[in-house]
């Protein structure tokens, strides 16, 4: 007891209250008057008793049992005081215990285990305990009686004695044998004379009870049986109490002078109490059932109506596009009404009081307000409960009698009314906080805010502070069956601000039937404050923070436990409103949030177990489907004999069987393949099932807690901590998203199909961005390798390329990427989420590496093959050049004596040049200009015997197969499809008028098949054109023949497959023409490069000045070394220029990947920028090109971005890079020249050795080799130092010349297509899946081409954008795919013989089955703005209207372009 009092003296008011409350729960005596150990000032700790309630049952005059519950500070009961004078042999405390509960030591005494003879802090302490009757005949007292016990000699503590004797109904004094002169004799004499009943207990007397005079008794204790004495004393006290009219009112103790009352002495407590009393005064004379309606208007009907509208919005039941708009409007109106509701003085006062910096005062205020509210509603609530019990009993009786009369109906209606009355009467702190939440949500939702006298943005901070202080917060409003997401998110944001964004929580949910002991268990385990009263009839979910000690933080790796408790599951009082659906929803919500869920089962009744277990199993099944992996522990409470091992084994076996049975039932409902509970979740019946003893040891209300229960609590706590240590923790920042995700999915009713884990989505997007960087690192490294090997192939240094060699070249980069991946997955803050994809992305990056190597090998092997084919072209070109060198040298020698006559030299050289070039032209035909489209038409004409398309529009330069809205006019059906569906189908097949005038229908699936074919053919032919390498090999009509052959093969294969149509010849012709039109510029540009490089007239004319320069040097007698050096430099000029352009293009691509916001992520990021640009430009034709031909649009966009970047950054970046690269190349050439000179001089070699040594180190840098100088004689070159100097000097001039021609125009012109930055970037960013949604044309967002699994997009579009309209009308559809598949009454026609519910779209065919479309409202405002902005353009384009069933919702009109652009940043 001294230890208890030492803690009590050191504790603050809150800890004192907690101690006293716990002591009371454990049926121990409580400190009533406490002397200060230093000053002896007596304290009355009134505050510490505020939370204690006592319940008892007693019989009234009609012998009816009535129940009463009172806070002890308000209760008026008889009080029996015990004290002693002198030193006595008997224990006063032990004697009181025998009166209250002989099996429990309510008052600690000298014979208790752990007691000692000496006392330090207990002298003068008065303790109090209450006896509470149970209404049975065995009760020792028929009314609630308080017992007070003054420790130590009463003669030494006059003030305590005075208070007790004045307030007691009966005084009991223990006395030794005293003489008349004893110091206490006078006090005893006064007590004897007083009118108040007095009982003397003489320790040295052996006599039985004896009434000395009226109301004065004596009982001897010496040598007497303890039970006899106890019984005599009990009877005597009862007799005295029956005569006494006085009663003890706890609060009246504070009226005595010279004592300190803790509530008055503590300034914070006093201010908190005054504030709470002021608030309660506002409730005076108010009808309890009407208080919430008048004081808390925001959470009543308006909030319930808003919740209902929101659920209807998320769960459309018919063709409700227009109704959705109306619901949005109605919801906005409700929010406005909420906002306009008057905020009561009660609420204003509460907000003002809690919005202060006095943290302790606020806690006192909140606790006292909660206490006063409980007290305020208790009387009325008890009366309503009594009425409810009576009605319930009547209904049960009528049902048992199979009575189906009107009486039963009337009584059931009355029961429902009382139930609603019960709900209305519930009024506590959670309702006040619910109102604040609704004030905040309504303020957040309206634009024009009224003056509130406080800023609404401060409200979440109040709730956050309350949570930090240990108060629970309502997470799900059980009355409205809704989560106030805006409010909860705001409170969690404030918590993050106050606790830090790195705060980690372990979420523990508790699930169990109403009144199954959940809250008691949590309060015992964590010292929480969840309400435990069986009659509270609240429902929903409440969350409370439990701070973890610093020591535990380190061990467990989290900062708080967030406990989520559920109320109202299968609650009797809520029958009729608490449906299985609501229970299922509530269970799914809390299990989905939790790391660990405690499943609380009360008693051993299988039917009660079955109710909760079926819900739990179904919920866990749902979690598994959406990759949330909570664990669970079963707590089996109130088990009669938890020590019986065999019984526990039997219980576990029975539970396992029940779980397996529930699993089979749930699997049928959830369409899930599971037979046993272990198929759903890892479950160990030995460790994950806990058996709890009865909470009370004996029968309440006087039974103390069972020690075994406390041991069970500790064991469970250790199990929870063990789970917590192994579990993934949730960042507080992530918890907000988890709550929102799960609630959004629950709103749509189809949890599994609707669940969108935004944390996972966010983490996955981050991973995809990193993946883009990793794959770029590999691609960039391989480009350098490819360039080096390309040069070596052209220089005939290597003659084969192996994939293993390429992998070896990539090894270092690959290791760096692996290290970067490993670090990302291990250190990123979302590592616990990212780990799910670690293996798959490791495989993906390995596949990328292999694909890059394979593709590079293919391209290099093509170059190898083409090298041999173009040897003749190159050899002829080299022959012409070198012959010119030699002949000009011969001419120069002839004119040596006229070296100073510049005019003669020029004249003779011009004559020589003209004659020789004429001879070359005669020997080598000039390369003609080409006309691709003429060749194509000629070829098609030959194929189809002159039958080209008769429709002239298909010959128009703007006409393209890629812009066709429907392919119906290009097909002939294999069998009749003219059967019409007679039903009025409420959605959209695309129907197109055929040429015969009859209506033919190509299903959306057929349209998608053909569109996919066109896209595939385009991609395949694009690769084929690049493989022709026209810039090096030249154009030949065989290129077109190969293209048409490839297209013909693909078209034939397609129509011979499982399709119900064949293509007309026209389709093939238009497809070939469209592809060739598209490729025309690329082929023409490549042919131009080929012609410039290989047409002798062009390339020799380009070099005329160089030849004349060498000719002059010959004439002036320059040495062979000098001339040979100049010839080498002239030969190097083009390779240097090409190398610099290609290297700069690669460098520039890498820079744009880093600096250009549109190009620095993955394809989704690129698409976001495309959509932004389209919105800024507001060009409808460009939009339609993007919608119908996304791949082309992406390509054009990248090209424009690159072009713009080059223009904008040419001086600061492009030019600088080119100069750096040319300087670097110049250094490498001079290093090679220097090393060659040293090598030749050391080995006494000739010019041949020097040339070999010079070209070898440059073979990977330039397309330049010995063969380029094969016809130039260099036998007489012997001054290699001079050769080196000449090269140095001439190289400077060449570099200067090349640099002077660098410009924004020459950069793209001098690069082959495949080396251009836009082509490299397109290949990197757009090597993805391009399959489009069959309904709205949105592109699958998967980054892998031909990926496994379903196609999907984050946000679908309005399906009317692709021309889908309502059958038998001209009305374009304004549905969005995600809302359409959520609709139960919406149909579409995949073909003329089918009518399919949109939500069953997967059954419409293979192409539909490959798509995953989530039924939800996850629509991008961007497309709503687009439809409104371009409504007339769309209507004109499709010759349809957005009218009738397809009317655009008015709600969409509110979106501005700015809203559309902001939505892109927010959601993509």
């Amino acid at each position: 007891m001294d230890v208890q009092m030492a803690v009590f003296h050191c504790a603050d008011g809150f800890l004192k209250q907690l101690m006293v409350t716990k002591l009371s729960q454990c049926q121990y005596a409580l400190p009533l008057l406490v002397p200060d150990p230093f000053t002896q000032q007596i304290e009355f700790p009134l505050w510490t008793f505020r939370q204690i309630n006592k319940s008892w049952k007693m019989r009234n005059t009609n012998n009816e049992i009535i129940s009463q519950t009172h806070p002890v500070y308000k209760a008026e009961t008889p009080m029996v005081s015990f004290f002693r004078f002198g030193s006595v042999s008997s224990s006063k405390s032990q004697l009181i215990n025998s009166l209250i509960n002989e099996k429990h030591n309510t008052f600690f005494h000298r014979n208790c285990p752990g007691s000692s003879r000496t006392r330090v802090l207990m002298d003068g302490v008065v303790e109090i305990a209450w006896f509470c009757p149970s209404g049975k005949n065995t009760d020792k007292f028929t009314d609630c009686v308080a017992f007070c016990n003054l420790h130590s000699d009463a003669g030494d503590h006059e003030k305590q004695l005075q208070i007790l004797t004045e307030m007691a109904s009966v005084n009991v004094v223990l006395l030794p044998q005293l003489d008349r002169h004893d110091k206490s004799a006078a006090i005893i004499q006064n007590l004897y004379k007083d009118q108040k009943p007095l009982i003397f207990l003489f320790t040295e007397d052996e006599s039985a009870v004896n009434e000395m005079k009226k109301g004065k008794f004596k009982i001897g204790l010496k040598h007497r049986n303890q039970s006899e004495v106890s019984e005599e004393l009990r009877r005597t006290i009862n007799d005295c109490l029956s005569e006494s009219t006085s009663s003890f009112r706890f609060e009246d103790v504070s009226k005595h002078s010279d004592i300190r009352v803790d509530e008055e002495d503590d300034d914070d407590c006093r201010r908190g109490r005054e504030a709470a009393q002021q608030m309660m005064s506002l409730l005076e004379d108010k009808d309890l059932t009407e208080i919430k309606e008048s004081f808390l208007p925001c959470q009543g009907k308006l909030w319930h109506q808003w919740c209902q509208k929101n659920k209807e919005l998320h769960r459309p039941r018919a063709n409700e596009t227009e109704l959705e708009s109306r619901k949005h409007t109605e919801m906005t109106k409700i929010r406005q009404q909420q906002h306009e509701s008057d905020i009561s003085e009660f609420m204003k006062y509460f907000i003002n009081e809690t919005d202060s910096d006095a943290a302790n005062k606020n806690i006192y205020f909140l606790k006292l307000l909660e206490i006063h509210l409980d007290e305020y509603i208790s009387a009325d609530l008890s009366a309503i409960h009594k009425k409810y019990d009576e009605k319930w009993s009547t209904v049960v009786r009528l049902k048992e009698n199979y009575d189906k009369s009107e009486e039963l109906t009337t009584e059931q209606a009355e029961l429902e009314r009382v139930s609603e009355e019960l709900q209305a009467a519930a009024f506590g702190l959670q309702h006040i906080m619910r109102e604040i939440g609704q004030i905040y949500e309504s303020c957040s939702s309206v634009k024009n805010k009224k003056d509130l006298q406080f800023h609404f943005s401060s409200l979440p901070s109040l709730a956050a502070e309350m949570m930090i202080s240990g108060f629970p917060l309502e997470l799900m409003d059980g009355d409205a069956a809704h989560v106030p997401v805006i409010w909860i998110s705001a409170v969690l944001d404030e918590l993050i601000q106050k606790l830090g964004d790195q705060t980690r929580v372990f979420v523990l949910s508790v699930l169990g039937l109403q009144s199954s002991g959940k809250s008691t268990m949590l309060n015992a385990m964590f010292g929480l404050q969840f309400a435990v009263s069986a009659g509270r009839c609240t429902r929903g979910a409440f969350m409370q923070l439990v701070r973890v000690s610093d020591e535990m933080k380190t061990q467990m790796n989290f900062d708080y436990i967030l406990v989520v408790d559920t109320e109202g599951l299968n609650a009797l009082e809520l029958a009729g409103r608490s449906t299985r659906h609501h229970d299922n929803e509530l269970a799914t919500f809390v299990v989905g949030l939790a790391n660990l869920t405690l499943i609380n089962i009360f008693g051993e009744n299988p039917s009660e177990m079955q109710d909760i277990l079926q819900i739990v199993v179904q919920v866990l099944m749902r979690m598994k489907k959406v990759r949330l992996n909570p664990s669970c522990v079963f707590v089996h409470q109130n088990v009669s004999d938890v020590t019986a091992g065999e019984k526990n084994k039997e219980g576990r076996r029975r539970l396992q069987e029940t779980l397996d049975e529930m699993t089979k039932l749930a699997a049928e409902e959830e369409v899930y393949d599971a037979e046993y509970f272990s198929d759903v979740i890892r479950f160990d019946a030995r460790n994950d099932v806990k058996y709890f003893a009865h909470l009370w040891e004996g029968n309440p209300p006087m039974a103390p807690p069972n020690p075994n229960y406390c041991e069970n609590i500790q064991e469970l706590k250790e199990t929870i901590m063990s789970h917590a240590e192994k579990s993934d923790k949730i960042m507080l920042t992530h918890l907000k998203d988890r709550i929102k995700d799960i609630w959004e999915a629950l709103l749509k009713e189809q949890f599994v199909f609707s669940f969108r884990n935004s944390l996972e989505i966010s983490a996955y997007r981050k991973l995809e961005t990193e993946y883009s960087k990793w794959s770029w690192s590999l691609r960039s490294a391989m480009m350098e390798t490819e360039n080096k090997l390309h040069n070596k192939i052209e220089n005939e240094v290597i003659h084969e390329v192996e994939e293993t060699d390429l992998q070896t070249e990539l090894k270092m980069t690959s290791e760096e990427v692996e290290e970067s991946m490993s670090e990302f997955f291990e250190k990123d803050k979302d590592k616990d989420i990212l780990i799910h994809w670690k293996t798959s992305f490791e495989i993906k990056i390995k596949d990328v590496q292999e694909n890059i190597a394979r593709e590079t090998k293919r391209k290099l092997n093509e170059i190898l093959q083409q090298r041999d084919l173009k040897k003749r072209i190159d050899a002829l070109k080299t022959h012409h050049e070198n012959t010119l060198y030699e002949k000009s040298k011969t001419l120069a020698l002839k004119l040596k004596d006229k070296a100073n006559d510049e005019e003669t030299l020029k004249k003779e050289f011009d004559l020589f040049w003209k004659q020789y070039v004429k001879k070359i032209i005669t020997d080598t035909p000039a390369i003609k200009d080409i006309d691709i489209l003429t060749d194509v038409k000629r070829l098609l004409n030959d194929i189809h015997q002159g039958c080209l398309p008769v429709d002239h529009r298909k010959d128009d330069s703007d006409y393209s197969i890629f812009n066709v809205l429907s392919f119906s006019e290009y097909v002939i059906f294999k069998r009749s499809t003219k059967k019409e569906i007679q039903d009025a189908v409420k959605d959209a097949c695309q129907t197109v008028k055929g040429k015969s005038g009859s209506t033919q229908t190509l299903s959306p699936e057929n349209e998608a098949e053909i569109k996919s074919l066109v896209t595939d053919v385009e991609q395949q032919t694009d690769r084929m054109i690049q493989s022709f390498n026209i810039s090096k090999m030249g154009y030949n009509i065989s290129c077109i023949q190969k293209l048409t052959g490839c297209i013909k093969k693909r078209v034939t294969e397609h129509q011979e497959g499982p399709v119900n149509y064949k293509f007309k010849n026209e389709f093939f012709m238009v497809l070939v023409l469209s592809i060739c039109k598209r490729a025309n510029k690329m082929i023409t540009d490549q042919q131009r490069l080929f012609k410039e490089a290989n047409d002798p007239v062009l390339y020799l004319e380009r070099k005329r000045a160089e030849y004349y320069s060498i000719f002059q040097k010959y004439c002036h007698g320059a040495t062979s070394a000098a001339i040979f050096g100049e010839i080498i430099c002239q030969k190097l000029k083009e390779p240097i220029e090409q190398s610099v352009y290609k290297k700069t293009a690669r460098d520039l691509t890498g820079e744009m990947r880093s600096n250009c916001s549109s190009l620095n992520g993955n394809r989704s990021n690129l698409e976001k920028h495309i959509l932004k640009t389209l919105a800024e430009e507001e060009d409808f034709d460009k939009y339609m090109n993007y919608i119908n031909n996304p791949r082309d649009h992406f390509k054009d966009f990248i090209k424009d971005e690159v072009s713009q970047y080059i223009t904008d950054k040419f001086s600061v970046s492009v030019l600088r890079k080119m100069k750096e690269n040319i300087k670097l190349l110049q250094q490498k050439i001079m290093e090679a020249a220097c090393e060659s000179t040293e090598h030749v001089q050391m080995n006494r070699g000739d010019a041949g050795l020097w040339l070999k040594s010079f070209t070898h180190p440059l073979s990977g840098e330039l397309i330049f080799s010995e063969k380029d100088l094969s016809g130039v004689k260099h036998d007489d070159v012997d001054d290699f130092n001079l050769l080196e100097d000449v090269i140095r000097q001439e190289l400077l001039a060449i570099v200067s010349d090349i640099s002077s021609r660098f410009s924004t125009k020459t950069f793209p012109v001098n690069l082959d297509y495949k080396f251009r930055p836009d082509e490299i970037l397109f290949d990197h960013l757009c090597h993805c899946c391009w399959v489009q949604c069959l309904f709205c044309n949105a592109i699958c967002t998967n980054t892998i081409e031909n990926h496994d699994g379903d196609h999907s997009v984050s946000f679908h579009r309005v399906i009317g954008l692709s021309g889908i309209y309502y059958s038998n009308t001209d009305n374009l559809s304004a549905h969005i795919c995600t809302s359409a598949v959520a609709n139960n009454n919406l149909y579409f026609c995949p073909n003329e013989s089918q009518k399919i519910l949109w939500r069953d779209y997967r059954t419409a065919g293979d192409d539909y089955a490959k798509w995953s479309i989530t039924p939800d409202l996850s629509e991008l405002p961007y497309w709503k703005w687009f439809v409104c902005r371009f409504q007339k353009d769309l209507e004109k384009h499709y010759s349809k209207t957005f009218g009738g069933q397809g009317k655009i919702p008015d709600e969409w009109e509110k979106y501005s372009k700015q809203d559309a652009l902001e939505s892109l940043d927010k959601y993509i």
Side-chain angles (χ1 to χ4, degrees), residues 228-491:
E228 282 182 24
V229 171
S230 178
E231 182 57 29
E232 283 181 3
L233 181 58
R234 183 189 67 77
R235 280 201 310 270
T236 306
I237 291 172
N238 267 326
D239 291 342
C240 292
L241 291 176
S242 64
E243 298 292 328
S244 174
T245 56
S246 68
S247 63
F248 168 69
R249 193 167 179 270
F250 190 87
E251 277 187 316
D252 290 348
V253 177
S254 63
K255 294 177 181 177
H256 287 82
S257 59
D258 298 331
I259 66 167
R260 183 166 63 88
V261 181
D262 59 354
E263 288 187 354
E264 298 295 338
D265 198 51
D266 187 317
D267 193 47
D268 286 331
C269 184
R270 181 180 53 74
R271 286 165 53 214
R273 185 188 65 197
E274 288 169 359
Q277 288 171 344
Q278 177 63 33
M279 276 201 74
M280 294 308 297
S281 70
L282 298 172
L283 299 180
E284 284 177 6
D285 304 322
K286 299 289 189 296
D287 186 337
L288 184 59
T289 57
E290 295 175 3
I291 281 179
K292 281 199 286 190
E293 194 173 333
S294 55
F295 283 16
L296 313 175
C298 290
Q299 67 181 268
K301 290 177 183 175
L302 291 174
W303 167 232
H304 287 215
Q305 285 170 8
W306 189 93
C307 294
Q308 186 58 36
K309 297 288 179 194
N310 194 34
K311 285 185 177 178
E312 288 170 6
L313 188 67
H314 284 78
R315 302 166 184 177
R317 291 288 177 265
N319 188 18
E320 295 180 338
T321 310
E322 178 58 32
L323 290 178
E324 282 176 21
S325 174
R326 196 183 307 159
K327 287 192 182 81
H328 274 297
T329 306
E330 288 170 353
M331 287 166 69
T332 304
K333 189 177 177 182
I334 290 168
R335 284 299 194 199
Q336 189 65 44
Q337 287 176 313
Q338 278 186 311
H339 184 64
E340 289 169 359
S341 299
D342 289 332
I343 298 176
S344 64
E345 287 302 315
F346 182 83
M347 288 304 302
K348 287 178 185 175
Y349 192 88
F350 179 87
I351 292 167
N352 288 332
E353 282 301 322
T354 49
D355 192 19
S356 71
D357 295 330
N360 280 355
K361 174 240 145 185
N362 288 347
I363 297 173
Y364 278 117
F365 165 65
L366 291 168
K367 283 178 174 282
L368 284 162
L369 179 61
E370 203 168 17
I371 290 162
H372 289 322
L373 285 173
D374 278 350
E375 179 193 343
Y376 180 76
I377 66 171
S378 60
D380 287 348
L381 210 55
S382 296
I384 299 171
H385 265 295
K386 185 179 180 184
K387 201 191 305 181
Y388 182 90
D389 291 341
E390 289 170 358
K391 292 294 174 190
W392 176 252
S393 300
T394 305
V395 169
V396 169
R397 177 176 53 77
L398 290 171
K399 282 183 177 179
E400 285 175 352
N401 296 335
Y402 299 100
D403 191 330
K404 295 185 179 179
S405 64
E406 284 187 17
E407 186 185 358
L408 176 60
T409 309
T410 305
E411 290 294 338
Q412 282 178 323
E414 187 63 21
L415 180 67
E416 183 63 26
R417 190 192 63 75
V418 175
S419 178
E420 287 172 3
E421 200 177 319
L422 200 57
Q423 276 302 110
F427 184 59
L429 195 56
Q430 74 267 32
H431 297 97
I432 295 173
M433 292 311 297
R434 187 187 292 176
E435 185 73 6
I436 287 178
Q438 284 314 298
I439 292 171
Y440 178 82
E441 289 208 335
S442 63
C443 287
S444 301
S445 304
V446 299
K447 290 183 179 177
N448 300 318
K449 297 176 176 55
K450 66 179 182 181
D451 181 20
L452 297 174
Q453 298 177 4
F454 56 85
H455 201 285
F456 82 96
S457 61
S458 66
L459 299 179
S461 181
L462 305 183
E465 284 294 346
M466 284 178 63
M467 283 193 73
I468 293 168
S469 300
F471 290 89
L473 182 72
E474 186 175 59
L475 180 57
M476 177 190 268
D477 178 347
D479 294 334
H482 212 281
V483 175
V485 175
I486 299 171
W487 167 242
I488 294 298
S489 298
V491 173

Side-chain angles (χ1 to χ4, degrees), residues 774 777 810-821:
W774 298 326
S777 297
L810 265 185
K811 188 177 180 186
M812 185 182 293
T813 308
S814 177
E815 287 171 354
E816 289 171 2
V817 166
E818 282 176 18
E819 189 178 330
S820 175
M821 284 181 75

Side-chain angles (χ1 to χ4, degrees), residues 1018-1019 1021-1023 1025-1026 1078-1079 1082 1159 1163 1166 1170 1185-1186 1189-1203 1313-1314 1316-1323 1325-1326 1330:
E1018 183 211 357
Q1019 291 178 31
T1021 51
D1022 193 41
R1023 286 193 293 269
I1025 291 166
Q1026 291 202 20
R1078 182 166 290 192
M1082 182 167 69
L1159 305 172
R1163 191 183 66 180
L1166 176 60
I1170 287 173
N1185 181 52
Y1186 160 74
N1189 306 298
R1191 197 168 183 273
D1192 287 346
H1193 195 91
F1194 272 71
K1195 198 166 190 174
D1196 291 340
F1197 180 83
I1198 292 171
K1199 191 174 182 179
D1200 291 343
E1201 286 286 280
V1202 170
S1203 177
Y1313 268 83
K1314 60 189 172 191
R1316 292 181 184 178
D1318 51 288
E1319 286 294 322
I1320 297 170
L1321 285 166
F1322 182 78
D1323 194 39
L1325 288 168
C1326 300
W1330 286 97

